[in-house]
Amino acid sequence: MSFVHIDQIGEVSLERANKVLAVVPGGIWKAVHGALERAGETAKTRAGQFAAAEYTINKGDFMKNVSMKSRITGDSGGAVSMTLSYAGNVLPLLTFNTRFSRGGLLQTQVKRHGVTETLQHVFAERVFGPIAAFERLGTSRFPVEQKYGPSASHMLENEAVIEQMDKTVREAFDKRIEAEINRVLNGWGGKS
């Protein structure tokens, strides 16, 4: 499981929310929580795009293989933070930029800025289901071991991906906080 933890979100926006909603009981928490929920949803949606920019996987394959949750916490002092957690299984090596020939040559590139490597003792074949990359564990035909690339949650631990996620959450929060302040002031939605 991988975590992205974001602190001190939108300090200028929070000051404004504190001033405007000071007279509304629980209003600040409602507005900040609503804005953070939207920011978390935006980050979840864009996670596949950020991972695909660093790894040779398409966004759809990434999104199919990851589960994401967001958790918002706050205290009486007004500190608010959000934690995005990601979990997923390792992905088959053929999910990434992998080519194989009939002669048994298998070449793969997992990171976009990495090099293409030739795997000498690995072959692509339909053994237990769909075509996958396998390596024999001995001199006989079986047993074989399937080869995998990183999991979706490991891809999200990449520094460049974390930076993009952090930036996305902060921008989405700053855009959304005004609408949430208006929702609280007008009594629209949410629990009273």
Side-chain angles (χ1 to χ4, degrees):
M1 184 173 282
S2 171
F3 297 96
V4 177
H5 187 76
I6 299 151
D7 285 331
Q8 300 173 340
I9 299 169
E11 292 174 19
V12 173
S13 302
L14 287 176
E15 285 178 29
R16 173 160 162 59
N18 278 323
K19 288 177 185 173
V20 173
L21 298 174
V23 295
V24 179
I28 296 166
W29 174 250
K30 287 179 189 176
V32 169
H33 190 272
L36 278 176
E37 276 184 338
R38 291 291 182 99
E41 290 300 317
T42 302
K44 288 178 190 178
T45 303
R46 307 237 0 244
Q49 176 184 347
F50 300 143
E54 294 296 317
Y55 294 88
T56 59
I57 187 170
N58 68 42
K59 180 182 173 184
D61 285 338
F62 176 86
M63 296 303 283
K64 281 191 300 191
N65 290 291
V66 69
S67 63
M68 300 176 248
K69 295 179 184 174
S70 61
R71 186 170 152 247
I72 301 167
T73 56
D75 63 21
S76 58
V80 178
S81 66
M82 180 171 63
T83 303
L84 299 169
S85 60
Y86 300 89
N89 297 324
V90 288
L91 301 172
L93 192 57
L94 296 184
T95 307
F96 299 90
N97 184 18
T98 304
R99 296 184 308 268
F100 54 92
S101 66
R102 286 186 183 194
L105 185 67
L106 193 130
Q107 295 179 322
T108 188
Q109 178 187 11
V110 174
K111 291 189 98 177
R112 288 221 182 266
H113 305 294
V115 296
T116 301
E117 292 192 30
T118 301
L119 304 178
Q120 295 299 326
H121 301 286
V122 179
F123 61 96
E125 191 61 57
R126 186 180 317 274
V127 176
F128 305 116
I131 294 177
F134 293 96
E135 182 175 18
R136 287 191 174 88
L137 297 178
T139 55
S140 62
R141 272 184 87 173
F142 290 101
V144 293
E145 175 182 77
Q146 186 172 351
K147 294 299 182 183
Y148 296 94
S151 70
S153 61
H154 283 106
M155 287 185 256
L156 288 169
E157 291 175 356
N158 182 298
E159 283 297 317
V161 174
I162 289 173
E163 277 182 33
Q164 288 293 326
M165 294 286 284
D166 186 75
K167 181 180 174 188
T168 298
V169 167
R170 290 176 191 284
E171 287 174 357
F173 178 83
D174 285 337
K175 287 179 184 174
R176 187 64 198 171
I177 190 66
E178 277 303 314
E180 293 299 325
I181 290 170
N182 287 333
R183 283 174 57 90
V184 170
L185 288 175
N186 292 319
W188 299 333
K191 297 173 188 164
S192 297

